[in-house]
PDB file of all heavy atoms in Angstrom:
ATOM      1  N   ARG A 352      18.313   3.635 -35.341  1.00  0.00           N
ATOM      2  CA  ARG A 352      17.102   3.416 -36.116  1.00  0.00           C
ATOM      3  C   ARG A 352      16.033   3.006 -35.124  1.00  0.00           C
ATOM      4  O   ARG A 352      16.056   1.918 -34.565  1.00  0.00           O
ATOM      5  CB  ARG A 352      17.331   2.299 -37.129  1.00  0.00           C
ATOM      6  CG  ARG A 352      16.238   2.206 -38.157  1.00  0.00           C
ATOM      7  CD  ARG A 352      16.561   1.108 -39.174  1.00  0.00           C
ATOM      8  NE  ARG A 352      15.849   1.322 -40.428  1.00  0.00           N
ATOM      9  CZ  ARG A 352      14.549   1.130 -40.574  1.00  0.00           C
ATOM     10  NH1 ARG A 352      13.813   0.723 -39.560  1.00  0.00           N
ATOM     11  NH2 ARG A 352      13.971   1.348 -41.757  1.00  0.00           N
ATOM     12  N   CYS A 353      15.119   3.932 -34.887  1.00  0.00           N
ATOM     13  CA  CYS A 353      14.061   3.642 -33.924  1.00  0.00           C
ATOM     14  C   CYS A 353      13.026   2.744 -34.578  1.00  0.00           C
ATOM     15  O   CYS A 353      12.878   2.715 -35.802  1.00  0.00           O
ATOM     16  CB  CYS A 353      13.424   4.937 -33.456  1.00  0.00           C
ATOM     17  SG  CYS A 353      12.036   4.679 -32.332  1.00  0.00           S
ATOM     18  N   ARG A 354      12.269   2.046 -33.765  1.00  0.00           N
ATOM     19  CA  ARG A 354      11.229   1.166 -34.305  1.00  0.00           C
ATOM     20  C   ARG A 354      10.110   1.973 -34.976  1.00  0.00           C
ATOM     21  O   ARG A 354       9.311   1.444 -35.706  1.00  0.00           O
ATOM     22  CB  ARG A 354      10.661   0.276 -33.208  1.00  0.00           C
ATOM     23  CG  ARG A 354      10.069   1.092 -32.065  1.00  0.00           C
ATOM     24  CD  ARG A 354       9.733   0.247 -30.856  1.00  0.00           C
ATOM     25  NE  ARG A 354       9.375   1.144 -29.764  1.00  0.00           N
ATOM     26  CZ  ARG A 354       8.493   0.858 -28.847  1.00  0.00           C
ATOM     27  NH1 ARG A 354       7.878  -0.301 -28.850  1.00  0.00           N
ATOM     28  NH2 ARG A 354       8.219   1.725 -27.907  1.00  0.00           N
ATOM     29  N   CYS A 355      10.068   3.304 -34.686  1.00  0.00           N
ATOM     30  CA  CYS A 355       9.055   4.117 -35.361  1.00  0.00           C
ATOM     31  C   CYS A 355       9.448   4.347 -36.811  1.00  0.00           C
ATOM     32  O   CYS A 355       8.734   5.000 -37.562  1.00  0.00           O
ATOM     33  CB  CYS A 355       8.840   5.450 -34.654  1.00  0.00           C
ATOM     34  SG  CYS A 355      10.256   6.562 -34.743  1.00  0.00           S
ATOM     35  N   GLY A 356      10.596   3.785 -37.191  1.00  0.00           N
ATOM     36  CA  GLY A 356      11.021   3.922 -38.571  1.00  0.00           C
ATOM     37  C   GLY A 356      11.926   5.105 -38.768  1.00  0.00           C
ATOM     38  O   GLY A 356      12.532   5.285 -39.820  1.00  0.00           O
ATOM     39  N   LEU A 357      12.010   5.897 -37.724  1.00  0.00           N
ATOM     40  CA  LEU A 357      12.853   7.077 -37.815  1.00  0.00           C
ATOM     41  C   LEU A 357      14.292   6.609 -37.917  1.00  0.00           C
ATOM     42  O   LEU A 357      14.805   5.946 -37.025  1.00  0.00           O
ATOM     43  CB  LEU A 357      12.666   7.948 -36.582  1.00  0.00           C
ATOM     44  CG  LEU A 357      13.416   9.257 -36.607  1.00  0.00           C
ATOM     45  CD1 LEU A 357      12.774  10.227 -37.574  1.00  0.00           C
ATOM     46  CD2 LEU A 357      13.462   9.850 -35.214  1.00  0.00           C
ATOM     47  N   VAL A 358      14.895   6.927 -39.030  1.00  0.00           N
ATOM     48  CA  VAL A 358      16.296   6.566 -39.195  1.00  0.00           C
ATOM     49  C   VAL A 358      17.126   7.775 -38.818  1.00  0.00           C
ATOM     50  O   VAL A 358      16.908   8.877 -39.318  1.00  0.00           O
ATOM     51  CB  VAL A 358      16.607   6.143 -40.641  1.00  0.00           C
ATOM     52  CG1 VAL A 358      18.080   5.772 -40.776  1.00  0.00           C
ATOM     53  CG2 VAL A 358      15.722   4.969 -41.037  1.00  0.00           C
ATOM     54  N   VAL A 359      18.016   7.569 -37.911  1.00  0.00           N
ATOM     55  CA  VAL A 359      18.853   8.677 -37.481  1.00  0.00           C
ATOM     56  C   VAL A 359      20.245   8.463 -38.055  1.00  0.00           C
ATOM     57  O   VAL A 359      20.996   7.628 -37.579  1.00  0.00           O
ATOM     58  CB  VAL A 359      18.908   8.754 -35.943  1.00  0.00           C
ATOM     59  CG1 VAL A 359      19.768   9.917 -35.524  1.00  0.00           C
ATOM     60  CG2 VAL A 359      17.512   8.871 -35.365  1.00  0.00           C
ATOM     61  N   SER A 366      15.229  13.168 -33.160  1.00  0.00           N
ATOM     62  CA  SER A 366      14.469  12.930 -31.945  1.00  0.00           C
ATOM     63  C   SER A 366      15.470  12.272 -31.007  1.00  0.00           C
ATOM     64  O   SER A 366      16.251  11.415 -31.419  1.00  0.00           O
ATOM     65  CB  SER A 366      13.291  12.002 -32.258  1.00  0.00           C
ATOM     66  OG  SER A 366      13.038  11.131 -31.182  1.00  0.00           O
ATOM     67  N   TYR A 367      15.476  12.713 -29.774  1.00  0.00           N
ATOM     68  CA  TYR A 367      16.495  12.217 -28.848  1.00  0.00           C
ATOM     69  C   TYR A 367      16.343  10.708 -28.643  1.00  0.00           C
ATOM     70  O   TYR A 367      15.254  10.218 -28.338  1.00  0.00           O
ATOM     71  CB  TYR A 367      16.375  12.958 -27.518  1.00  0.00           C
ATOM     72  CG  TYR A 367      17.476  12.610 -26.548  1.00  0.00           C
ATOM     73  CD1 TYR A 367      18.786  12.960 -26.819  1.00  0.00           C
ATOM     74  CD2 TYR A 367      17.201  11.922 -25.375  1.00  0.00           C
ATOM     75  CE1 TYR A 367      19.800  12.631 -25.950  1.00  0.00           C
ATOM     76  CE2 TYR A 367      18.206  11.592 -24.493  1.00  0.00           C
ATOM     77  CZ  TYR A 367      19.503  11.943 -24.783  1.00  0.00           C
ATOM     78  OH  TYR A 367      20.508  11.621 -23.917  1.00  0.00           O
ATOM     79  N   GLN A 368      17.444   9.994 -28.845  1.00  0.00           N
ATOM     80  CA  GLN A 368      17.407   8.539 -28.785  1.00  0.00           C
ATOM     81  C   GLN A 368      18.008   8.016 -27.487  1.00  0.00           C
ATOM     82  O   GLN A 368      18.990   8.561 -26.990  1.00  0.00           O
ATOM     83  CB  GLN A 368      18.199   7.955 -29.963  1.00  0.00           C
ATOM     84  CG  GLN A 368      17.714   8.388 -31.327  1.00  0.00           C
ATOM     85  CD  GLN A 368      16.398   7.745 -31.709  1.00  0.00           C
ATOM     86  OE1 GLN A 368      16.289   6.511 -31.737  1.00  0.00           O
ATOM     87  NE2 GLN A 368      15.391   8.566 -31.975  1.00  0.00           N
ATOM     88  N   TRP A 380      18.151   1.181 -30.094  1.00  0.00           N
ATOM     89  CA  TRP A 380      17.936   2.593 -29.836  1.00  0.00           C
ATOM     90  C   TRP A 380      16.497   2.931 -30.167  1.00  0.00           C
ATOM     91  O   TRP A 380      15.909   2.348 -31.077  1.00  0.00           O
ATOM     92  CB  TRP A 380      18.877   3.444 -30.674  1.00  0.00           C
ATOM     93  CG  TRP A 380      20.303   3.352 -30.207  1.00  0.00           C
ATOM     94  CD1 TRP A 380      21.198   2.369 -30.525  1.00  0.00           C
ATOM     95  CD2 TRP A 380      20.971   4.251 -29.334  1.00  0.00           C
ATOM     96  NE1 TRP A 380      22.392   2.602 -29.903  1.00  0.00           N
ATOM     97  CE2 TRP A 380      22.291   3.770 -29.169  1.00  0.00           C
ATOM     98  CE3 TRP A 380      20.609   5.427 -28.678  1.00  0.00           C
ATOM     99  CZ2 TRP A 380      23.223   4.402 -28.375  1.00  0.00           C
ATOM    100  CZ3 TRP A 380      21.533   6.064 -27.897  1.00  0.00           C
ATOM    101  CH2 TRP A 380      22.833   5.561 -27.737  1.00  0.00           C
ATOM    102  N   ALA A 381      15.952   3.845 -29.407  1.00  0.00           N
ATOM    103  CA  ALA A 381      14.577   4.246 -29.684  1.00  0.00           C
ATOM    104  C   ALA A 381      14.382   5.684 -29.233  1.00  0.00           C
ATOM    105  O   ALA A 381      15.128   6.199 -28.407  1.00  0.00           O
ATOM    106  CB  ALA A 381      13.604   3.335 -28.942  1.00  0.00           C
ATOM    107  N   CYS A 382      13.347   6.319 -29.783  1.00  0.00           N
ATOM    108  CA  CYS A 382      13.030   7.673 -29.365  1.00  0.00           C
ATOM    109  C   CYS A 382      12.759   7.673 -27.870  1.00  0.00           C
ATOM    110  O   CYS A 382      12.049   6.804 -27.364  1.00  0.00           O
ATOM    111  CB  CYS A 382      11.788   8.181 -30.084  1.00  0.00           C
ATOM    112  SG  CYS A 382      11.938   8.206 -31.871  1.00  0.00           S
ATOM    113  N   SER A 383      13.314   8.650 -27.196  1.00  0.00           N
ATOM    114  CA  SER A 383      13.097   8.747 -25.756  1.00  0.00           C
ATOM    115  C   SER A 383      11.684   9.230 -25.453  1.00  0.00           C
ATOM    116  O   SER A 383      11.061   8.808 -24.490  1.00  0.00           O
ATOM    117  CB  SER A 383      14.146   9.700 -25.173  1.00  0.00           C
ATOM    118  OG  SER A 383      13.622  10.487 -24.156  1.00  0.00           O
ATOM    119  N   ASP A 384      11.170  10.100 -26.302  1.00  0.00           N
ATOM    120  CA  ASP A 384       9.825  10.652 -26.096  1.00  0.00           C
ATOM    121  C   ASP A 384       8.819   9.649 -26.651  1.00  0.00           C
ATOM    122  O   ASP A 384       8.564   9.585 -27.855  1.00  0.00           O
ATOM    123  CB  ASP A 384       9.732  11.999 -26.826  1.00  0.00           C
ATOM    124  CG  ASP A 384       8.444  12.744 -26.518  1.00  0.00           C
ATOM    125  OD1 ASP A 384       7.415  12.085 -26.269  1.00  0.00           O
ATOM    126  OD2 ASP A 384       8.469  13.991 -26.541  1.00  0.00           O
ATOM    127  N   THR A 385       8.243   8.844 -25.778  1.00  0.00           N
ATOM    128  CA  THR A 385       7.408   7.723 -26.238  1.00  0.00           C
ATOM    129  C   THR A 385       6.135   8.197 -26.927  1.00  0.00           C
ATOM    130  O   THR A 385       5.686   7.585 -27.891  1.00  0.00           O
ATOM    131  CB  THR A 385       7.042   6.802 -25.054  1.00  0.00           C
ATOM    132  OG1 THR A 385       6.499   7.591 -23.996  1.00  0.00           O
ATOM    133  CG2 THR A 385       8.261   6.060 -24.561  1.00  0.00           C
ATOM    134  N   TRP A 387       5.672  10.940 -28.638  1.00  0.00           N
ATOM    135  CA  TRP A 387       6.060  11.435 -29.959  1.00  0.00           C
ATOM    136  C   TRP A 387       6.310  10.267 -30.896  1.00  0.00           C
ATOM    137  O   TRP A 387       5.853  10.247 -32.035  1.00  0.00           O
ATOM    138  CB  TRP A 387       7.312  12.301 -29.811  1.00  0.00           C
ATOM    139  CG  TRP A 387       7.706  13.069 -31.033  1.00  0.00           C
ATOM    140  CD1 TRP A 387       7.257  14.298 -31.399  1.00  0.00           C
ATOM    141  CD2 TRP A 387       8.625  12.657 -32.047  1.00  0.00           C
ATOM    142  NE1 TRP A 387       7.841  14.690 -32.573  1.00  0.00           N
ATOM    143  CE2 TRP A 387       8.689  13.696 -32.996  1.00  0.00           C
ATOM    144  CE3 TRP A 387       9.402  11.511 -32.240  1.00  0.00           C
ATOM    145  CZ2 TRP A 387       9.496  13.635 -34.119  1.00  0.00           C
ATOM    146  CZ3 TRP A 387      10.215  11.449 -33.371  1.00  0.00           C
ATOM    147  CH2 TRP A 387      10.262  12.502 -34.300  1.00  0.00           C
ATOM    148  N   CYS A 388       7.027   9.276 -30.388  1.00  0.00           N
ATOM    149  CA  CYS A 388       7.381   8.098 -31.179  1.00  0.00           C
ATOM    150  C   CYS A 388       6.118   7.362 -31.630  1.00  0.00           C
ATOM    151  O   CYS A 388       5.988   6.959 -32.782  1.00  0.00           O
ATOM    152  CB  CYS A 388       8.280   7.174 -30.359  1.00  0.00           C
ATOM    153  SG  CYS A 388       8.907   5.760 -31.266  1.00  0.00           S
ATOM    154  N   THR A 389       5.174   7.207 -30.717  1.00  0.00           N
ATOM    155  CA  THR A 389       3.922   6.521 -31.035  1.00  0.00           C
ATOM    156  C   THR A 389       3.196   7.244 -32.168  1.00  0.00           C
ATOM    157  O   THR A 389       2.724   6.625 -33.124  1.00  0.00           O
ATOM    158  CB  THR A 389       3.016   6.463 -29.793  1.00  0.00           C
ATOM    159  OG1 THR A 389       3.736   5.799 -28.752  1.00  0.00           O
ATOM    160  CG2 THR A 389       1.732   5.703 -30.083  1.00  0.00           C
ATOM    161  N   GLN A 391       4.506   9.124 -34.402  1.00  0.00           N
ATOM    162  CA  GLN A 391       5.245   8.934 -35.645  1.00  0.00           C
ATOM    163  C   GLN A 391       4.881   7.602 -36.285  1.00  0.00           C
ATOM    164  O   GLN A 391       4.713   7.497 -37.497  1.00  0.00           O
ATOM    165  CB  GLN A 391       6.762   8.939 -35.388  1.00  0.00           C
ATOM    166  CG  GLN A 391       7.318  10.221 -34.863  1.00  0.00           C
ATOM    167  CD  GLN A 391       7.069  11.387 -35.797  1.00  0.00           C
ATOM    168  OE1 GLN A 391       6.323  12.297 -35.459  1.00  0.00           O
ATOM    169  NE2 GLN A 391       7.651  11.336 -36.975  1.00  0.00           N
ATOM    170  N   ARG A 392       4.756   6.593 -35.430  1.00  0.00           N
ATOM    171  CA  ARG A 392       4.458   5.248 -35.943  1.00  0.00           C
ATOM    172  C   ARG A 392       3.056   5.188 -36.537  1.00  0.00           C
ATOM    173  O   ARG A 392       2.832   4.562 -37.560  1.00  0.00           O
ATOM    174  CB  ARG A 392       4.608   4.219 -34.824  1.00  0.00           C
ATOM    175  CG  ARG A 392       6.050   3.796 -34.631  1.00  0.00           C
ATOM    176  CD  ARG A 392       6.370   3.465 -33.200  1.00  0.00           C
ATOM    177  NE  ARG A 392       5.754   2.219 -32.754  1.00  0.00           N
ATOM    178  CZ  ARG A 392       5.574   1.908 -31.479  1.00  0.00           C
ATOM    179  NH1 ARG A 392       5.948   2.747 -30.539  1.00  0.00           N
ATOM    180  NH2 ARG A 392       5.026   0.778 -31.144  1.00  0.00           N
TER     181      ARG A 392
HETATM  182 ZN1   ZN C 180      10.795   6.546 -32.521  1.00  0.00          ZN
END
Side-chain angles (χ1 to χ4, degrees):
Chain A
R352 192 178 202 287
C353 177
R354 59 191 171 147
C355 67
L357 184 73
V358 180
V359 181
S366 144
Y367 186 66
Q368 302 288 303
W380 289 83
C382 301
S383 143
D384 188 329
T385 51
W387 190 87
C388 185
T389 302
Q391 296 301 113
R392 277 148 71 200

